[in-house]
Amino acid sequence: MAATSEAMTAVTGELAGHRPGIGIMLLSRDGLAFVGHRIRMPAGLAKWQMPQGGIDAGETPRQAALRELREEIGRDQVDILAESRGWFHHDVPDEIAQGMMGGRYCGNRQKWFAMRFTGTDAEINLATERPEFDAWEWVSPERLPELVVPFMRRLYLDVLAEFRALWSGHAGS
């Protein structure tokens, strides 16, 4: 069954050709998830996504996650609630692999974190040194798969399942 085999392959260890990175399910006090609207994406792929990024040399996944928050939303005022048990991966379309990833990678291999934002909405600042988002919202986590690019839907479904206990008691449908 195709859906089952896709789900089984979403959590992995080392994958050749996949950039090591992190992803963050940033939750509000009410259990809503942060999404930013991506800029600098190929035509038709400017969609919403949760914060994510690469792991720099010498960085732990946790350090990378906090750095990415500072780079993407201007703040790292969070409580870390959980770290994914394994690594998730997704492939990207060729135009992203060749363009934004410079032909070095065919996708991402990511450690995901669930975090609770402890700052205020007014402190979120997308005008960072290298902005990645041009807008942001708090959304019900159930909406995440419909907001992201199709090539990341399976990964988002798997992240939602792993962190369900952390958000399902808060968010409405």
Side-chain angles (χ1 to χ4, degrees):
M1 179 161 139
T4 303
S5 63
E6 279 181 21
M8 291 174 64
T9 61
V11 179
T12 66
E14 292 291 322
L15 286 173
H18 287 75
R19 178 181 76 146
I22 55 83
I24 302 149
M25 182 178 207
L26 185 63
L27 298 168
S28 70
R29 288 175 182 89
D30 299 326
L32 298 174
F34 176 96
V35 289
H37 188 262
R38 286 294 309 250
I39 54 178
R40 291 188 306 271
M41 289 290 281
L45 289 181
K47 294 282 189 178
W48 298 87
Q49 75 175 43
M50 292 185 280
Q52 67 176 49
I55 299 173
D56 291 343
E59 244 181 353
T60 66
R62 186 175 292 241
Q63 290 167 332
L66 293 172
R67 176 186 49 75
E68 284 293 336
L69 280 177
R70 288 188 301 273
E71 290 177 4
E72 293 185 10
I73 70 166
R75 292 284 181 263
D76 64 359
Q77 298 160 278
V78 296
D79 290 329
I80 298 174
L81 305 174
E83 180 176 330
S84 60
R85 292 182 300 272
W87 293 78
F88 294 89
H89 86 273
H90 66 92
D91 293 334
V92 298
D94 285 343
E95 62 187 309
I96 292 176
Q98 297 306 315
M100 294 173 67
M101 294 181 138
R104 293 183 57 204
Y105 304 105
C106 63
N108 292 298
R109 175 179 55 86
Q110 300 171 322
K111 178 65 80 162
W112 275 78
F113 293 86
M115 299 181 181
R116 177 99 45 227
F117 185 61
T118 59
T120 66
D121 288 2
E123 293 172 309
I124 294 174
N125 177 16
L126 302 182
T128 59
E129 187 176 323
R130 286 180 294 180
E132 295 199 26
F133 302 130
D134 59 10
W136 69 274
E137 291 183 38
W138 293 113
V139 300
S140 174
E142 291 96 342
R143 290 193 53 217
L144 291 168
E146 75 190 49
L147 297 173
V148 301
V149 290
F151 64 85
M152 291 184 72
R153 281 196 188 118
R154 176 81 260 152
L155 178 140
Y156 272 43
L157 289 167
D158 292 341
V159 168
L160 283 169
E162 177 143 351
F163 295 144
R164 182 167 310 283
L166 299 171
W167 59 265
S168 62
H170 293 281
S173 15

